Amino acid sequence: MGTSEVQTKIPFNRPYVTGAEFTYVQQAIEAMHLSGDGAFTKRAHQILQSMTQSPASLLTTSCTHALEMMALLLDLKPGDEVIVPTFTFVSTANAFVLRGARPIFSDIRSDTLNLDDSRLDSLVTPSTRAIVAVHYAGVGCEMDAILSFARSRGLTVVEDNAHGLLGTYRGKALGSFGALAAQSFHETKNFSCGEGGALIINDEQYVRRAEILREKGTNRSQFFRGEIDKYTWVDVGSSYLPSEVLAAFLVAQLEASDQIQSKRRQLWERYAAGLGDWCSSVGATMPCVPSHCEQPYHMFFVRMPSLEARTALTAALRTRNIYAAFHYVPLHTSEMGRRFGGARGPFCRHDRR
Ligand SMILES: Cc1ncc(COP(=O)(O)O)c(C=O)c1O
């Protein structure tokens, strides 16, 4: 390890800090309101609602917790089924499993790697309650097809929009399609507060109960607004609201969205311009962004032609101190997925390994 060239490490992810985080966190501390739902949380809600064109939003401690709130709001019961893509993060399924529901794993499209809308019909049973659209890498699922299918079967559509803030599908913001949508502000996301998330509420019938679930099953939010004169336990719930310190950090990031997005776009386009020929030469595939989708430049990835090629590539990059990672292990192949889930119908060749 002699030269600086060898020591330079390109990590999988480097959080972006605008500088305003320090000022805002200091302001939160000086305001002496460190618990949740203070001025910074309200500012974050306003920005999120304007970004997603949604009527209501609630910051949460993670996207996982926003998904758990979704499962509670949908009143899922043991025996209910929820369709989720197999190629997603564990929380997309776990949130529903926690309520006793059974995740039914759907295959994904070979172009965008999103839920394969053409297979939905074969996955639905009388127990199906909801479909979870996960916008992989912030590229929109085929929402027209998914929503019209769900309408025809009386199912609720929700979005796991962990990657997709500021992405659009046919000009409409991701996060605004489902009755509910979950956002992530984990360190790896475009906008972060370390660990954080939000529940976007598009169907206003859920707003009041969402506030209660998030505040330990109490009507404390109504009390703080002066709508009732005491607060009490009214429903099930947990503690899903983040502290003002985290909200302050997040507001600094959300307010710098133009700056952050322009930097991410530059980097994404640099990879795309530089890797196209190489991908063709080794049989790898570049990300597909359909013309009716605007992506938020969350992630650049290549799909290698085989597991061996993928392992060789990440190992070769590591010798150059470049830390590339592989993504989700398809959930229907996981230990837990096999125990609790159900896989119906064929899966893409690349999912079966
Ligand atoms: C699709 C998807 N959903 C949910 C999550 C969980 O997010 P969080 O870490 O904020 O709980 C992730 C994590 O990256 C994810 O990729």
Side-chain angles (χ1 to χ4, degrees):
M1 298 283 276
T3 68
S4 60
E5 194 191 334
V6 174
Q7 284 165 0
T8 305
K9 182 170 149 185
I10 300 184
F12 167 64
N13 171 67
R14 189 179 283 142
Y16 188 80
V17 179
T18 68
E21 292 84 354
F22 299 100
T23 316
Y24 285 3
V25 167
Q26 186 171 350
Q27 284 174 11
I29 296 167
E30 285 167 0
M32 285 289 153
H33 181 143
L34 298 179
S35 57
D37 280 343
F40 280 108
T41 302
K42 291 192 175 82
R43 237 154 104 179
H45 289 166
Q46 274 160 10
I47 299 172
L48 286 174
Q49 282 155 226
S50 130
M51 283 177 167
T52 55
Q53 295 298 302
S54 296
S57 62
L58 291 170
L59 283 194
T60 56
T61 29
S62 63
C63 180
T64 301
H65 279 166
L67 289 162
E68 286 180 20
M69 284 181 66
M70 249 180 211
L72 283 163
L73 286 166
L74 296 184
D75 238 340
L76 293 177
K77 306 265 181 332
D80 288 341
E81 294 182 356
V82 177
I83 298 174
V84 300
T86 186
F87 188 63
T88 184
F89 193 68
V90 291
S91 300
T92 317
N94 233 348
F96 301 100
V97 168
L98 274 171
R99 305 265 64 80
R102 180 179 186 211
I104 299 299
F105 298 117
S106 165
D107 208 343
I108 52 168
R109 301 170 59 100
S110 59
D111 52 3
T112 55
L113 310 186
N114 281 331
L115 188 73
D116 185 347
D117 38 286
S118 73
R119 292 185 196 273
L120 289 172
D121 199 30
S122 63
L123 302 177
V124 170
T125 73
S127 302
T128 311
R129 296 284 315 280
I131 301 171
V132 190
V134 181
H135 307 298
Y136 184 66
V139 175
C141 292
E142 283 309 318
M143 292 313 297
D144 284 349
I146 293 171
L147 288 170
S148 96
F149 177 83
R151 256 193 306 273
S152 73
R153 301 301 184 93
L155 305 174
T156 305
V157 174
V158 293
E159 295 169 81
D160 178 340
N161 196 30
H163 305 173
L165 191 56
L166 295 180
T168 66
Y169 169 83
R170 298 197 190 283
K172 190 171 181 309
L174 300 184
S176 68
F177 289 93
L180 301 159
Q183 303 294 149
S184 176
F185 302 118
H186 179 263
E187 180 195 297
T188 48
K189 303 304 184 291
N190 294 26
F191 313 105
S192 143
C193 56
E195 300 276 358
L199 182 71
I200 307 292
I201 306 169
N202 297 308
D203 183 337
E204 295 187 58
Q205 66 161 309
Y206 295 114
V207 172
R208 190 168 172 274
R209 185 155 189 246
E211 284 181 350
I212 290 168
L213 298 177
R214 178 170 167 268
E215 269 283 23
K216 301 94 181 164
T218 72
N219 49 7
R220 185 150 75 167
S221 301
Q222 278 184 289
F223 173 72
F224 281 140
R225 283 197 298 269
E227 295 166 13
I228 47 178
D229 58 7
K230 62 176 177 348
Y231 80 86
T232 182
W233 184 21
V234 293
D235 200 337
V236 294
S238 191
S239 186
Y240 292 125
L241 73 166
S243 115
E244 274 292 282
V245 178
L246 288 179
F249 194 103
L250 181 65
V251 166
Q253 298 249 315
L254 293 173
E255 285 182 350
S257 63
D258 287 350
Q259 175 191 336
I260 291 173
Q261 290 305 94
S262 124
K263 175 99 178 140
R264 292 188 84 100
R265 179 180 181 160
Q266 243 174 32
L267 292 170
W268 197 98
E269 287 177 346
R270 188 164 161 204
Y271 282 123
L275 288 172
D277 289 347
W278 176 82
C279 279
S280 313
S281 73
V282 301
T285 316
M286 302 266 283
C288 163
V289 185
S291 58
H292 54 280
C293 293
E294 254 180 82
Q295 62 147 330
Y297 304 97
H298 172 55
M299 193 192 299
F300 188 90
F301 62 92
V302 293
R303 272 165 70 200
M304 296 303 287
S306 67
L307 178 59
E308 296 70 34
R310 183 187 84 181
T311 309
L313 174 66
T314 49
L317 289 172
R318 195 156 285 216
T319 64
R320 291 163 177 76
N321 269 336
I322 301 167
Y323 286 72
F326 61 86
H327 219 177
Y328 311 127
V329 173
L331 295 181
H332 73 282
T333 65
S334 69
E335 195 180 320
M336 189 68 174
R338 288 200 306 267
R339 257 171 61 199
F340 285 97
R344 291 188 194 136
F347 284 79
C348 293
R349 192 185 59 77
H350 54 261
D351 271 357
R352 264 196 253 122
R353 288 198 199 99

